[in-house]
Amino acid sequence: MGYDAESLVKAVRALGAEIAHRRAELTHLDQEIGDGDHGENLARGFSAVLTKLRAAEPETPSKVLSLVATTLISTVGGASGPLFGTAFLRASTVIGTATELDGTLVASALVAARDGVVARGKAEVGDKTMVDALSPAAEAATAAAAQGADVAGVLAAAAAAAAAGAESTRPLQARKGRASYLGERSIGHVDPGAQSTTYLLDSLALSAASHTED
Ligand code: ADP
Ligand code: MG
């Protein structure tokens, strides 16, 4: 069975559950170097996404992603809402009218998501933001797709690279976003957005792996 809109809706539902589960942890990370709302912001956004998915039946993977994007933009708030919204929107655009995803499309979607976040937030790798997780994830996904990996394989590679990227933010001093106001005091903590990006990709990878086994 191909990875179609229905598969992606299932994955987004699992993602909503994962974000709800990580809410306190993400908020705790944001208490260390921000204003302590990152977990709440994302949990509110994904809860709204799940509500919308109960009423809508998006026909293509692209439409699933654009529903996620517009809902996150209108409900998450904070710096991360428009950034995650842009990521999902760019991914949606790249996938276009495809009815099923493959490894190459998923890798292109992640590259587009990363490029969108960078264009919008102007952060580079090393600034201690979600880009530190998303950028290596997009690159690992591209490399995996070039070697013929399927959706699950590409997402597994992306998730592993994102986890390493999130951990790499710990010794960094933040140069973008609210954490940058802390100067040197931002050193020694993992960036909340890099961590949530990792959980997001981890959850998508897990769903794709169980989809493959179906
Ligand atoms: P806020 O900072 O407005 O409270 P959140 O707490 O929801 O918003 O999100 C904080 C996260 O947003 C940070 O951990 C960081 O990863 C990400 N972020 C903030 N500014 C930028 C930026 N300019 N580019 C990329 N990511 C950013
Ligand atoms: Mg915050």
Side-chain angles (χ1 to χ4, degrees):
M1 193 178 64
Y3 201 92
D4 60 9
E6 204 184 314
S7 324
L8 190 55
V9 166
K10 264 197 207 163
V12 171
R13 287 212 185 96
L15 188 54
E18 172 68 4
I19 292 297
H21 173 64
R22 299 292 185 179
R23 174 183 181 152
E25 184 187 334
L26 292 171
T27 284
H28 177 72
L29 287 178
D30 198 31
Q31 276 163 353
E32 300 286 0
I33 60 168
D35 57 351
D37 63 355
H38 190 58
E40 308 304 322
N41 286 344
L42 283 187
R44 182 173 58 249
F46 276 96
S47 153
V49 167
L50 296 194
T51 303
K52 281 211 186 155
L53 279 179
R54 265 178 236 125
E57 272 183 42
E59 294 138 35
T60 59
S62 171
K63 287 186 181 169
V64 179
L65 294 175
S66 68
L67 179 147
V68 173
T70 52
T71 310
L72 293 183
I73 289 169
S74 62
T75 57
V76 170
S80 65
L83 291 168
F84 278 122
T86 300
F88 280 96
L89 206 57
R90 292 282 187 107
S92 160
T93 304
V94 159
I95 289 165
T97 56
T99 52
E100 288 186 2
L101 299 182
D102 60 17
T104 305
L105 269 177
V106 171
S108 313
L110 283 172
V111 168
R114 186 269 314 271
D115 292 348
V117 169
V118 168
R120 177 137 199 157
K122 308 276 185 285
E124 294 169 9
V125 168
D127 285 347
K128 196 174 178 113
T129 70
M130 62 175 73
V131 172
D132 288 338
L134 191 52
S135 201
E139 271 144 39
T142 304
Q147 294 189 351
D150 62 3
V151 172
V154 165
L155 285 171
E167 190 51 43
S168 81
T169 64
R170 193 186 294 277
L172 298 177
Q173 178 171 335
R175 286 194 293 249
K176 287 281 174 199
R178 218 177 268 282
S180 66
Y181 308 157
L182 288 183
E184 286 182 1
R185 279 184 294 140
S186 65
I187 294 173
H189 305 280
V190 168
D191 176 66
Q195 191 61 54
S196 60
T197 299
T198 301
Y199 289 148
L200 227 127
L201 288 168
D202 251 346
S203 173
L204 292 176
L206 213 73
S207 292
S210 67
H211 177 268
T212 307
E213 285 159 14
D214 275 353

